[in-house]
Amino acid sequence: MDKLVIRGGRRLSGCVTASGSKNTSLPIIAATLLTGKGTFTLHHIPDLQDIKTFSQLLNHLGVETSFADNTLKVSSRNVESLMAPYELVKKMRASIYVLGPLLARFGHARVSLPGGCAFGPRPIDLHLMAMEKLGARIAIETGFIDASIPDGKLRGAHIDFPVSSVGATGNALMAAVLATGTTTISNAAAEPEIETLCKFLIAMGATIHGTGTTELEIVGKESLNPIEFHNVFDRIEAGTLLAAAAITGGDITVNGVEPQQLKAVLKKFVHAGCTIDTTETSVTLKSPEKLLATDVTAKPYPSFPTDMQAQWIALMTQAEGTSHITDKIYHERFNHIPELNRLGARIEIHKNQAVVHGPQKLSGTKVMSTDLRASASLVLAGLIAEGTTEVLRVYHLDRGYEKIETKLKSLGADISREKYNEF
Ligand code: UD1
C-alpha cells in the first residue's frame, strides 16, 4: 500500500493549476450511455482511481473507452450488458449514475445496491423515486435494483425532491432527456456538477430549461448525439489547495478556476483573515499573521460544500479561538476528527457539529485515512505538524486528488509517497 510521508512546517508559495472535476466527470461519462451513435471526446478528465473504476464499469457493460493525457474517449455503440455488478459498485457509490441512462436508452437496468459508506447511511431512495415517477418499475432483489419500463418508454413527469440530492438530480436528468414529453424537477440540486451535466446534455441535443437553478424542465428527445466536451475545474481540489496554503501561513495562486463557483469558500477564507484576489480564471490567497476562528455550515450549493468540511476543520486547528463546523448534509461525516486529535488537535463532536479549539500545536505521527476528504484533512494537518506525519491508506486520497503530492511539492511542501505493508 502507499502512504504519504510529510515533514511539516514548510510555508507553501507559488502557482498551481486545478485539475478537472471528478464529481462532474462521473455523471458526464455516465451520460455517454445515452447514445450509441458514435464516440465522445471528453477533455480535462482527471487521472484518478474513481475515473478508472467508472471506466471499468462501462467496459463491463461493453462500452469502449480509452484514456490518454486527460482526454477520455468513450463509445457506447455496443452495450452488451445492462448489469452493474457489486464488485464495481461497492468501490464507488457514483456507479448508481448508470441507472438513469441505461433505463432510458434500453428500457432495463440492473444495478447492485451500493450499501453504506464511511460517513454514515447514504440512501438511494430518491434515485428510485425519480425513476418510478418517470414510469419505471423498480424491484429490489438479491442485492440488486432491477429497473424496467412496463410501457416500453419513460414518460415525462413532475419530480419533487424532498431533499436536494446531486446524484438523484443527475439520474433524473439523464433519464428524462430520452422520456416522451416534458419532465419538471423541483428542488433539483444546483451544484456546478449538475449545471455542467445540463450543459453537456444540451450539447448532445437535449432541451433543458433552468440550468443552474433548483427548478428544471426537460423536454424529452427521441435520440441524442455524441459530442466533444471540455470538463470544468475541480472546485473541491482548488479549495483544498487554498486551505493547504492557509494552514502553512503561505501565499498561493490557483489557476484554471472559475472563482464564482468557490464563492462560499472564499468568503470563509476572508473571515479567517486571509486576503483573496481573483481574476476570471484564478484565485490568489495570502495568509494573515494569525488565522481567526471561523464557523462554517455545510449545506447544498451555493453554501459551503460538505466536501470541504474536513479540510476546514484541519485549518481551524491553527486559528485563534473556537470555531464551530456543522454538516447539514452528512451528519456523521467526522471520521477525520479522532485522527486529527491524535496529531494534537482539540476537537469535540456534538451531534453534527465539530467544535475546534485553536490554535493547537500539532505533532506528527501515523494517521489513517478513512475516506477521501478525511484523508485531505490529514494531509493538511501534516503540512503544519512538527516532525513527520505518515498518512496511511492513501488510496482514499487517490480516488479524488490528481497528483496531489506533486502539486504540494511544487508549492514547497516536503512530502513523498512511499510503499508500506499494513500487516
Ligand atoms: C455528491 C458528491 C459528494 C458530495 C455530495 C453532497 C459525487 C460523486 N459525489 O454525492 O462528493 O459529498 O454530493 O454534496 O458527486 N439522499 C437521500 N436519498 C437519496 C440520495 C441522497 O436521502 O436517494 C441524501 C443524502 O443522504 C444526503 C443528501 O441527500 O444527506 C445529499 O446527498 P447527495 O447530494 O445525493 O450526494 P451524492 O450525489 O451521493
Side-chain angles (χ1 to χ4, degrees):
M1 249 185 256
D2 285 3
K3 65 182 174 184
L4 288 179
V5 180
I6 308 164
R7 280 155 290 267
R10 304 284 182 93
R11 195 179 154 275
L12 300 195
S13 66
C15 296
V16 67
T17 301
S19 293
S21 163
K22 167 181 89 75
N23 284 355
T24 302
S25 298
L26 299 172
I28 67 177
I29 297 171
T32 65
L33 285 167
L34 287 164
T35 176
K37 286 190 196 166
T39 302
F40 287 81
T41 304
L42 312 178
H43 300 290
H44 205 36
I45 302 295
D47 189 358
L48 294 172
Q49 189 52 48
D50 268 12
I51 303 297
K52 291 191 184 102
T53 306
F54 208 78
S55 299
Q56 275 169 13
L57 173 57
L58 261 58
N59 298 152
H60 176 89
L61 303 175
V63 173
E64 288 164 31
T65 59
S66 67
F67 186 73
D69 299 330
N70 294 104
T71 293
L72 181 69
K73 294 199 174 198
V74 190
S75 165
S76 302
R77 264 190 218 101
N78 306 312
V79 173
E80 290 150 5
S81 163
L82 302 177
M83 196 272 283
Y86 178 64
E87 289 67 27
L88 290 168
V89 176
K90 76 169 183 204
K91 286 191 188 168
M92 194 180 54
R93 297 181 52 83
S95 306
I96 188 80
Y97 272 134
V98 300
L99 178 65
L102 284 181
L103 187 63
R105 179 167 155 209
F106 299 101
H108 185 221
R110 237 173 109 71
V111 180
S112 171
L113 285 167
C117 84
F119 46 92
R122 289 180 74 177
I124 50 151
D125 54 320
L126 301 177
H127 298 247
L128 304 186
M129 178 274 271
M131 298 305 123
E132 282 179 331
K133 286 269 178 186
L134 293 168
R137 188 178 54 207
I138 305 281
I140 306 284
E141 44 191 31
T142 60
F144 278 83
I145 304 157
D146 196 83
S148 55
I149 313 175
D151 299 350
K153 199 150 171 42
L154 294 176
R155 51 191 149 66
H158 178 60
I159 302 167
D160 188 0
F161 285 120
V163 173
S164 173
S165 160
V166 175
T169 303
N171 247 331
L173 269 166
M174 290 189 276
V177 288
L178 286 185
T180 48
T182 300
T183 298
T184 47
I185 306 179
S186 293
N187 197 24
E191 267 69 4
E193 292 73 20
I194 293 298
E195 185 177 352
T196 306
L197 174 63
C198 286
K199 289 180 181 163
F200 186 81
L201 293 169
I202 290 168
M204 285 176 69
T207 299
I208 300 173
H209 303 293
T211 295
T213 75
T214 56
E215 300 292 321
L216 299 172
E217 185 184 86
I218 304 108
V219 183
K221 291 284 161 75
E222 267 300 312
S223 69
L224 299 169
N225 303 305
I227 55 166
E228 183 163 357
F229 193 79
H230 195 90
N231 185 25
V232 297
F233 82 104
D234 195 311
R235 63 193 175 106
I236 305 303
E237 186 213 25
T240 304
L241 291 166
L242 293 172
I247 204 169
T248 66
D251 302 340
I252 68 161
T253 297
V254 184
N255 291 313
V257 303
E258 291 170 48
Q260 181 62 25
Q261 283 191 24
L262 290 163
K263 212 170 161 187
V265 174
L266 298 182
K267 206 168 138 189
K268 291 297 176 183
F269 278 117
V270 171
H271 283 180
C274 302
T275 306
I276 297 287
D277 286 307
T278 59
T279 68
E280 260 178 35
T281 56
S282 72
V283 177
T284 299
L285 178 144
K286 292 196 175 75
S287 294
E289 279 288 305
K290 278 181 184 168
L291 284 166
L292 306 172
T294 303
D295 296 349
V296 305
T297 300
K299 288 194 287 193
Y301 190 82
S303 292
F304 193 92
T306 173
D307 284 355
M308 273 297 294
Q309 174 259 95
Q311 301 88 312
W312 196 261
I313 289 176
L315 181 64
M316 286 299 102
T317 65
Q318 302 308 303
E320 292 277 335
T322 301
S323 46
H324 303 82
I325 290 91
T326 310
D327 197 323
K328 291 208 168 173
I329 298 179
Y330 294 114
H331 296 184
E332 299 168 34
R333 193 177 194 174
F334 291 120
N335 283 331
H336 37 290
I337 290 180
E339 293 303 280
L340 289 170
N341 284 343
R342 289 185 58 245
L343 289 168
R346 270 184 59 219
I347 310 168
E348 296 145 26
I349 308 172
H350 301 291
K351 293 191 178 153
N352 65 334
Q353 184 175 75
V355 181
V356 187
H357 303 282
Q360 283 293 314
K361 197 167 170 191
L362 306 184
S363 45
T365 186
K366 287 183 185 173
V367 282
M368 188 73 87
S369 304
T370 48
D371 63 71
L372 171 54
R373 307 303 169 188
S375 322
S377 79
L378 299 177
V379 171
L380 296 193
L383 292 173
I384 192 64
E386 209 173 79
T388 303
T389 300
E390 295 188 15
V391 181
L392 309 180
R393 298 196 183 174
V394 171
Y395 60 87
H396 288 291
L397 195 76
D398 292 339
R399 289 187 46 206
Y401 288 94
E402 189 179 46
K403 301 190 184 87
I404 186 72
E405 72 269 27
T406 313
K407 287 190 181 188
L408 290 172
K409 224 187 256 178
S410 78
L411 295 168
D414 185 343
I415 180 168
S416 55
R417 183 179 285 259
E418 292 177 16
K419 297 271 176 216
Y420 75 105
N421 283 325
E422 189 149 287
F423 301 107

